Amino acid sequence: MTDDTPKKAEPASAARVPRATYRLQFNQGFTFRDAADLVPYLRALGVSDLYASPYLKARPGSLHGYDITSHAELNPEIGSEAEHTRLCAALREHGMGHLLDVVPNHMGIAGGENAWWMDVLENGPGSPFARCFDIDWEPRKPELWGKVLLPILGDAYGRVLERGEIRLVHAQGRFGLEYFEHRLPVAPASTAVVLREALERLEGALGVEHPHRMELESIARALELLPGRRRTDAESVAERRRERTVTQRRLARLYRRSEPARRALDAAVAVFNGDPADPRSFDRLDALLDQQSYRLAFWRVAAEEINYRRFFDVNDLAGVRVEVPQVFQATHALVLRLVREGKVTGLRIDHPDGLFHPRDYLRDLQRETMGLEGRERFYVVVEKILTGDESLPDDWPCDGTVGYEFANRVNGLFVDGAAGERLDLLYHRCSRRRGDFPELAYEKKRLILRSALVSELTVLTTLLSRLAESNRASRDFTWGSLRDGLREVVACFPVYRTYIDATAGLVHPRDREYVEKAVQAARRRNPSTSGHVYEFIRQVLLLQWPEGLDDDAREEHARFVMKFQQLTGPVMAKGVEDTAFYVYNRLVSLNEVGGEPDRFGLSPDELHLFLAERAERWPHALSTTSTHDTKRSEDVRARIDVLSELPDLWEERVTRWAELNRALRGDEDGSPVPDPNDEYLLYQTLLGAWPLAEPDEAAHAELVARVQQYMDKATREAKLHTSWINPNETYDAGLRDFVAAILRRGENPFLDDFLELQPVVARMGMVNALAQTLVKLTAPGVPDVYQGQEIWDLSLVDPDNRRPVDYARRRELLAGLERCLRDGDRRALARGLVERWEDGRIKLYVTMTGLRLREALPEVFTGGEYLPLAASGERAAHLFAFARRGGGAQVVTAVPRLVAALTRDRGFALPDARAWRDTSLGVPPGRWRSLFTGEELRAGDEGLRAEHLFADFPVALLEEVPQDPPGG
């Protein structure tokens, strides 16, 4: 890094914990100005903190902001510094905080926008920014030593070169390369040959002692004397940068002043660019390219040979080494300034599992925000995916996760666990796939390690091979056996990653258990492979290293362990979330980020245990039900959950639909398009995303296009018939045609039959959606509302869930509800909302009521007690409830679950008093006021009758009415 590294930010004076957040996705279509105008609406809704997607300078046109190209600037497409200040002032004026999404793991490197990356490409290991990126400068392939592999070519290098698609360009004294939209630097020293070519062309035009000729000769000589890019000492780096600038200025001046020199230089550039009719004419350019600190390659070789750490398998996102103090400071200076100025009051850390040492990173962050002696903790949440019953490490100085585990647990409450075996059999019959999800996940992780992330495995294997070679007990392990062993251990890993501190020599018992499980599973799956290899891997990972290692050897061992931990997460994410989740379609509402599709449903007792632990350990973690990363919106999942309650009806309909649409399927080499598994996914998707109102022609066409886009993404992610890397146009086109055909308006037996079941699923799903929303708003944690989802939102995976939000409509609906509330008849309002639930006001009403109650009773919800409540009676299993208590106040949340079973005998009408029969909820005796209906209910020793709780509204939120004082 250079000497002008930004200074450290002063620590913040106080920490703020959000009461409720609202996530906004910033891009050129939604700017700081738009957000500032929205602040009064968010405040009226009851939101306490705006939760912003990344808005530092990103790749032009970025819709998400995770491809940051400069950490020192705001994204000009989103707004200026003044507009950002206006937004922060509006938040402060309304008493609101600002949670910012921070991206420490990677940067966007496409298009020549990233100055750090361009400097690395120009100067290689000698760049002051080389230490910013996680580059293996000595990879297994010697031809790549000191170089970065750039897999940006659309064809093999030789063919691209000889077609003249790579061109040398010159402007303002600088040389560069162009390949379509790509702009690449050229090492200044290597351009001396171009100037020598130009000098030859000056023969006869300018004399040997002509000043312009002598100047060009001097510039060429100066370039030839530049220190080589492998010289990384500070003096050489400074000299190289200084002389590069001087020679560029001199050449630009000469180019402007001398017509002969200008013609000679242009002619030299043209010679280097060759003639496609003469392949040998590209030899000069080929030699020039060979002198660069990068090697251009066909994009298909990236998986095997790329030598920089990426975000997953995205070539345009390069890993950043924030574990280096100077890099941390440079990448966080602007964010920390915003914190110091009070403009940002909390941070959301993206993908901490990609970091070298997540705990130390979080400690550095707390040190910079709150100071070394800070007794408070700055509000920080992490995008950490927890698997199964895994818990967040206790020693992480943060307030918890962004809430994926919360979303999955709450969703499980509305899945009927008793139907798991029945849906297993149905799925197997309809899709012709076996239902063993753990085996599928293992297979797909192995696939990823053989394809998308094979280069990362190669880097690890090379490191491990060096460790093995250094000891006589392990030197006979071949490179191939070590690679195979590592592949199996990573594929068997039970969690996203461990957090072993190899530098300090610390292994937490939890992490030891994960490593042991992975190694044991790998050995069990591969009985023919020598167990000694697995034992060697186990010992290295658990820091059981040979005695007598010197400091350098210990550092190498530690580096392997730390880098191993950076790989298991991407493999899990790509293999499970982005592959297996699109293959295993038994009940796709379970296929969510951090989800466990083989865990069919969650009992009320299990959810109570989870929420009680959350209240104890992570009371300020985010509680989310939808994010920009979820596979489908909370309302779509709530609908699909209903199918678990209707196995008979679902089996009958999906079987009929497959038969009705048989003739519409395409064909690829005798196999149907779509295949039965994709067709099974499609029907669930349609039930989940079907619009609430009858679509007109334009809306119907939009729906067809959205479903086609979703199915195209789903099947490519599944990697069975098509993929992003190897698209199968026959299958892709056949699937799009099938979607259009089955959704054809007019005479369509399938659509007629589909529209008989769809309203039932939508109606029952509505109750599920309201129930999960209310649980989110009142359970331990900080509830988060994803943009626009305060009313019904039936979005699918991105980019579908990043469509523009109609805030004018939401403002209008909120204003209408407030007018009704001023009129005072909450019961009439509640009944009217139920009757017209499709318009979305009912969800908005639940959201605003819950958020406003949190504001009115902060001691109840911020650190208040969590008390599970039991139900009794015939329908007790269909009632989930808990109380929150604090500061002398008490609130009860009660929601129905598995509602289809409650109303099956009445044609799946909305549940009313008759549905609950003799069921009661065990609330403490006393008077309770319904926040939704305004009614006052009196609980006796037996509690409250469910028929009274839900007489006028699908869910219940009760506030205890204080008792009158004696004699009052």
Side-chain angles (χ1 to χ4, degrees):
M1 302 297 294
T2 56
D3 292 335
D4 57 350
T5 299
K7 299 296 185 288
K8 293 184 178 181
E10 292 296 324
S13 58
R16 170 195 175 96
V17 175
R19 186 178 65 249
T21 61
Y22 191 99
R23 170 76 178 204
L24 291 175
Q25 293 294 119
F26 284 94
N27 52 57
Q28 58 190 354
F30 188 88
T31 66
F32 294 141
R33 298 178 68 177
D34 297 317
D37 293 341
L38 196 61
V39 167
Y41 164 76
L42 297 180
R43 185 65 189 86
L45 186 62
V47 171
S48 72
D49 289 65
L50 184 151
Y51 172 15
S53 65
Y55 53 57
L56 302 188
K57 187 176 182 181
R59 184 178 182 180
S62 175
L63 295 178
H64 48 75
Y66 289 98
D67 44 2
I68 292 172
T69 57
S70 172
H71 287 94
E73 307 169 67
L74 298 174
N75 190 336
E77 294 184 343
I78 294 174
S80 65
E81 183 88 27
E83 289 167 331
H84 180 265
T85 298
R86 175 176 172 256
L87 166 61
C88 296
L91 292 170
R92 191 177 301 113
E93 179 184 345
H94 287 80
M96 295 177 64
H98 180 18
L99 179 64
L100 176 61
D101 198 340
V102 176
V103 189
N105 175 67
H106 54 269
M107 292 183 75
I109 58 172
E113 299 288 331
N114 189 321
W116 293 4
W117 185 253
M118 294 295 281
D119 197 284
V120 171
L121 296 185
E122 180 177 317
N123 297 292
S127 168
F129 300 101
R131 65 194 309 192
C132 295
F133 301 100
D134 201 349
I135 301 169
D136 181 7
W137 293 108
E138 296 184 3
R140 188 165 184 255
K141 191 171 185 176
E143 293 84 355
L144 278 173
W145 284 16
K147 293 176 179 283
V148 176
L149 184 80
L150 289 186
I152 62 174
L153 303 181
D155 200 351
Y157 167 73
R159 289 193 288 271
V160 169
L161 180 73
E162 292 172 8
R163 286 199 295 262
E165 294 174 359
I166 305 171
R167 298 188 60 77
L168 180 68
V169 294
H170 168 263
Q172 302 299 318
R174 297 193 66 171
F175 291 93
L177 292 165
E178 292 183 353
Y179 174 69
F180 295 103
E181 74 276 15
H182 298 281
R183 303 290 181 270
L184 300 169
V186 174
S190 70
T191 62
V193 295
V194 184
L195 302 190
R196 292 294 178 190
E197 180 71 26
L199 281 166
E200 289 186 17
R201 293 177 179 279
L202 280 176
E203 291 290 342
L206 295 177
V208 174
E209 296 187 359
H210 191 282
H212 291 169
R213 182 187 179 91
M214 293 174 66
E215 174 67 354
L216 187 59
E217 175 79 41
S218 175
I219 294 171
R221 183 60 177 161
L223 291 173
E224 290 167 343
L225 293 175
L226 285 176
R229 63 175 182 266
R230 291 181 182 272
R231 290 173 58 180
T232 59
D233 58 282
E235 184 178 346
S236 296
V237 170
E239 180 183 353
R240 189 165 52 242
R241 295 178 73 82
R242 181 181 63 250
E243 292 303 316
R244 177 200 63 182
T245 302
V246 170
T247 55
Q248 286 172 356
R249 289 174 180 170
R250 291 171 64 189
L251 185 58
R253 185 167 54 246
L254 178 63
Y255 190 85
R256 289 194 305 270
R257 294 178 177 179
S258 175
E259 176 67 24
R262 183 162 56 250
R263 287 199 304 268
L265 191 58
D266 289 345
V269 169
V271 168
F272 270 76
N273 282 329
D275 179 0
D278 178 13
R280 302 300 304 176
S281 66
F282 291 97
D283 289 353
R284 289 184 180 86
L285 185 57
D286 182 36
L288 179 69
L289 283 164
D290 191 53
Q291 296 301 308
Q292 306 311 309
S293 296
Y294 52 85
R295 179 172 179 168
L296 299 180
F298 187 17
W299 65 270
R300 288 182 179 274
V301 311
E304 293 190 30
E305 296 188 352
I306 203 163
N307 61 328
Y308 59 89
R309 182 171 62 86
R310 303 166 289 172
F311 174 70
F312 297 168
D313 60 344
V314 183
N315 297 339
D316 292 346
L317 298 177
V320 177
R321 298 182 62 213
V322 290
E323 67 270 17
V324 177
Q326 296 93 331
V327 178
F328 177 93
Q329 289 296 329
T331 53
H332 289 71
L334 175 55
V335 168
L336 292 172
R337 174 172 69 81
L338 296 177
V339 169
R340 182 180 69 244
E341 294 172 352
K343 294 178 178 178
V344 169
T345 56
L347 301 173
R348 180 259 199 197
I349 307 304
D350 182 66
H351 191 49
D353 277 353
L355 303 179
F356 192 73
H357 203 317
R359 183 197 64 205
D360 283 4
Y361 167 80
L362 293 171
R363 287 179 177 174
D364 290 342
L365 205 57
Q366 292 292 343
R367 184 180 300 113
E368 293 291 337
T369 52
M370 300 308 294
L372 281 170
E373 304 302 326
R375 295 178 181 175
E376 292 188 88
R377 175 183 286 172
F378 193 71
Y379 186 75
V380 175
V381 288
V382 292
E383 192 222 10
K384 164 62 186 167
I385 298 173
L386 301 172
T387 302
D389 296 320
E390 179 189 7
S391 59
L392 194 65
D394 291 324
D395 59 352
W396 282 20
C398 66
D399 288 276
T401 74
V402 298
Y404 295 138
E405 72 283 359
F406 178 90
N408 284 293
R409 293 295 200 285
V410 173
N411 180 72
L413 183 68
F414 304 100
V415 174
D416 188 353
E421 186 175 343
R422 180 68 182 276
L423 286 191
D424 267 342
L425 295 173
L426 174 61
Y427 176 56
H428 177 70
R429 181 174 65 78
C430 290
S431 69
R432 301 170 197 171
R433 297 192 62 85
R434 54 191 174 85
D436 187 348
F437 181 77
E439 185 66 24
L440 175 67
Y442 162 75
E443 291 174 359
K444 296 310 177 185
K445 287 198 283 184
R446 290 182 81 247
L447 171 67
I448 293 300
L449 285 164
R450 291 180 179 273
S451 54
L453 296 177
V454 66
S455 63
E456 284 78 359
L457 180 64
T458 297
V459 169
L460 267 186
T461 304
T462 301
L463 289 175
L464 186 61
S465 181
R466 291 172 187 164
L467 302 185
E469 281 288 340
S470 66
N471 188 278
R472 61 174 177 262
S474 54
R475 71 179 189 181
D476 284 343
F477 295 144
T478 66
W479 191 92
S481 67
L482 293 172
R483 177 202 57 202
D484 293 346
L486 274 176
R487 182 193 295 125
E488 290 300 312
V489 171
V490 173
C492 293
F493 226 71
V495 292
Y496 277 73
R497 69 165 281 177
T498 49
Y499 304 97
I500 295 169
D501 188 343
T503 304
L506 301 175
V507 183
H508 192 282
R510 170 199 60 230
D511 292 330
R512 181 182 303 278
E513 180 182 352
Y514 293 145
V515 171
E516 297 279 11
K517 282 184 176 180
V519 173
Q520 289 170 10
R523 295 181 69 163
R524 187 169 59 250
R525 287 180 176 277
N526 299 274
S528 61
T529 302
S530 170
H532 297 298
V533 170
Y534 292 114
E535 178 60 18
F536 173 64
I537 294 172
R538 188 192 71 82
Q539 290 174 350
V540 173
L541 290 177
L542 295 180
L543 316 188
Q544 296 170 3
W545 303 335
E547 294 182 4
L549 293 181
D550 60 25
D551 289 345
D552 289 342
R554 294 186 67 84
E555 184 177 342
E556 280 297 297
H557 277 68
R559 181 166 175 257
F560 168 81
V561 174
M562 301 301 280
K563 291 190 72 64
F564 173 90
Q565 295 180 123
Q566 288 178 291
L567 176 61
T568 55
V571 172
M572 178 77 86
K574 293 301 298 178
V576 179
E577 287 180 38
D578 291 347
T579 306
F581 276 10
Y582 288 100
V583 176
Y584 186 76
N585 296 322
R586 177 181 61 170
L587 187 70
V588 295
S589 56
L590 300 177
N591 297 14
E592 197 45 81
V593 178
E596 301 168 87
D598 55 331
R599 185 174 186 168
F600 203 86
L602 196 77
S603 72
D605 286 344
E606 289 174 309
L607 184 55
H608 280 311
L609 285 172
F610 169 77
L611 293 178
E613 182 182 12
R614 205 165 197 258
E616 179 69 25
R617 298 183 60 198
W618 304 104
H620 305 314
L622 287 188
S623 301
T624 189
T625 42
S626 285
T627 75
H628 61 285
D629 278 333
T630 44
K631 306 295 186 185
R632 45 194 63 79
S633 77
E634 59 198 52
D635 297 331
V636 172
R637 288 197 308 275
R639 284 182 173 188
I640 296 173
D641 287 343
V642 175
L643 298 180
S644 71
E645 299 182 66
L646 308 172
D648 295 336
L649 186 56
W650 172 232
E651 180 174 12
E652 172 193 324
R653 293 300 174 119
V654 77
T655 302
R656 185 185 307 160
W657 297 343
E659 184 59 34
L660 288 172
N661 293 327
R662 179 188 299 274
L664 301 178
R665 299 186 191 113
D667 178 84
E668 183 189 25
D669 298 330
S671 298
V673 179
D675 80 356
N677 191 46
D678 292 338
E679 190 173 352
Y680 199 74
L681 167 65
L682 173 59
Y683 295 139
Q684 293 179 72
T685 301
L686 291 174
L687 285 170
W690 197 262
L692 288 155
E694 176 68 21
D696 58 20
E697 288 298 327
H700 185 81
E702 180 186 11
L703 173 67
V704 172
R706 286 175 56 218
V707 174
Q708 287 174 325
Q709 183 183 45
Y710 170 78
M711 291 301 298
D712 189 55
K713 177 169 183 170
T715 51
R716 292 190 183 208
E717 295 285 10
K719 306 172 188 66
L720 294 177
H721 303 286
T722 183
S723 68
W724 298 112
I725 294 178
N726 294 301
N728 179 344
E729 183 53 37
T730 300
Y731 194 88
D732 297 341
L735 180 56
R736 288 191 291 268
D737 291 345
F738 182 78
V739 171
I742 69 170
L743 297 182
R744 184 189 70 255
R745 305 187 93 167
E747 186 177 344
N748 185 338
F750 159 72
L751 203 53
D752 293 340
D753 197 74
F754 172 84
L755 291 175
E756 289 181 7
L757 177 63
Q758 189 276 329
V760 172
V761 172
R763 193 162 54 245
M764 300 297 99
M766 178 272 290
V767 181
N768 284 350
L770 293 181
Q772 74 174 351
T773 297
L774 184 57
V775 170
K776 174 179 73 174
L777 295 171
T778 55
V782 177
D784 173 52
V785 180
Y786 182 68
Q787 60 177 25
Q789 297 198 9
E790 60 269 35
I791 67 173
W792 303 129
D793 183 277
L794 301 172
S795 296
L796 300 169
V797 74
D798 69 284
D800 196 58
N801 63 6
R802 293 175 184 167
R803 290 173 295 156
V805 177
D806 185 354
Y807 282 113
R809 178 176 176 231
R810 285 157 175 79
R811 286 191 182 100
E812 181 182 346
L813 293 178
L814 182 61
L817 287 176
E818 289 178 326
R819 285 193 298 270
C820 292
L821 290 173
R822 284 195 295 270
D823 293 340
D825 192 346
R826 280 183 177 260
R827 187 175 186 184
L829 171 62
R831 287 176 169 176
L833 294 177
V834 174
E835 290 174 3
R836 294 178 293 279
W837 65 266
E838 293 94 339
D839 63 19
R841 292 182 304 146
I842 190 170
K843 188 179 182 187
L844 181 62
Y845 183 56
V846 170
T847 301
M848 65 176 281
T849 302
L851 292 179
R852 290 178 177 185
L853 183 65
R854 291 185 71 92
E855 181 177 8
L857 301 174
E859 292 180 327
V860 169
F861 295 102
T862 304
E865 291 181 85
Y866 175 84
L867 305 169
L869 296 179
S872 60
E874 184 178 344
R875 298 294 175 84
H878 296 271
L879 180 53
F880 179 78
F882 56 84
R884 302 297 309 279
R885 185 169 62 195
Q890 189 167 200
V891 170
V892 165
T893 292
V895 299
R897 60 183 294 264
L898 310 182
V899 292
L902 290 174
T903 61
R904 180 187 293 269
D905 56 349
R906 292 186 297 106
F908 303 107
L910 290 177
D912 57 15
R914 292 170 293 174
W916 291 100
R917 300 179 184 171
D918 66 342
T919 306
S920 295
L921 178 63
V923 302
R927 293 155 54 206
W928 298 84
R929 183 170 66 90
S930 168
L931 276 299
F932 295 130
T933 68
E935 289 184 283
E936 187 172 298
L937 304 173
R938 185 175 293 275
D941 292 338
E942 75 284 356
L944 286 174
R945 299 277 294 181
E947 62 186 273
H948 298 148
L949 272 176
F950 304 115
D952 298 301
F953 206 70
V955 295
L957 180 60
L958 309 177
E959 182 181 6
E960 187 176 30
V961 179
Q963 294 184 1
D964 294 330

